[in-house]
Amino acid sequence: MKTVSVNIVTPDGPVYDSEIDMIIAKTASGEIGILPGHIPMVAPLEIGSVKLKKDGKSEFVAVSGGFIEVRPEKVTILAQSAEIASSIDLARAQEAKKRAEELLQSKQESVDFNRAELALKRALNRINAYEGRL
Ligand code: ATP
């Protein structure tokens, strides 16, 4: 069976590098499934989980936005941050979720709501990836 090479890179360094059977990612215009031999494309990524299927098993990586570049034999994801599910600190993500929710509920004018919403999205995404959900 044909495979496609997937590289996930962040400003802190490489996070994932493997040959896989299929990858599912959340782009700004919707979820895409990529099989080996996919036509070339570049798309911005949402804060979301990337699902990597290999030998009948699935692995999840939490990605906090960036770009996906697809070529027939290689997929590269350049992400602001990315964590393989097994390396996610669940307690830290739950704390971040709580902090963001408290900020969003506060009535203080000094709160940057956009920033708090993005922090909440990142935290929920990490919790989902840890739990094996997209
Ligand atoms: P926090 O408030 O917990 O720092 P954050 O969303 O502000 O969360 P980021 O700025 O997105 O964090 O990431 C900073 C660094 O910390 C990145 O290298 C990221 O991979 C890592 N990171 C953030 N949260 C977690 C987590 N729950 N588990 C593992 N690594 C994490």
Side-chain angles (χ1 to χ4, degrees), residues 10 12 64 80-83 87-94 96 99 118-119 122-123 126:
T10 73
D12 295 332
S64 296
Q80 263 109 52
S81 71
E83 304 88 33
S87 75
I88 288 173
D89 179 340
L90 183 63
R92 177 175 167 179
Q94 283 165 339
R99 267 198 316 276
L118 287 174
R122 290 196 300 275
R126 287 178 176 125

Side-chain angles (χ1 to χ4, degrees), residues 22-83:
M22 186 186 185
I23 166 171
I24 298 168
K26 212 172 177 184
T27 71
S29 51
E31 223 168 69
I32 49 163
I34 298 155
L35 292 166
H38 196 285
I39 53 160
M41 61 164 255
V42 175
L45 285 180
E46 298 280 284
I47 294 172
S49 294
V50 170
K51 186 174 181 179
L52 301 138
K53 288 191 181 178
K54 190 178 178 179
D55 302 329
K57 292 187 198 132
S58 294
E59 201 169 10
F60 290 83
V61 178
V63 170
S64 296
F67 284 91
I68 183 166
E69 185 202 25
V70 180
R71 284 189 271 138
E73 298 88 28
K74 192 177 166 83
V75 175
T76 307
I77 290 178
L78 302 170
Q80 263 109 52
S81 71
E83 304 88 33

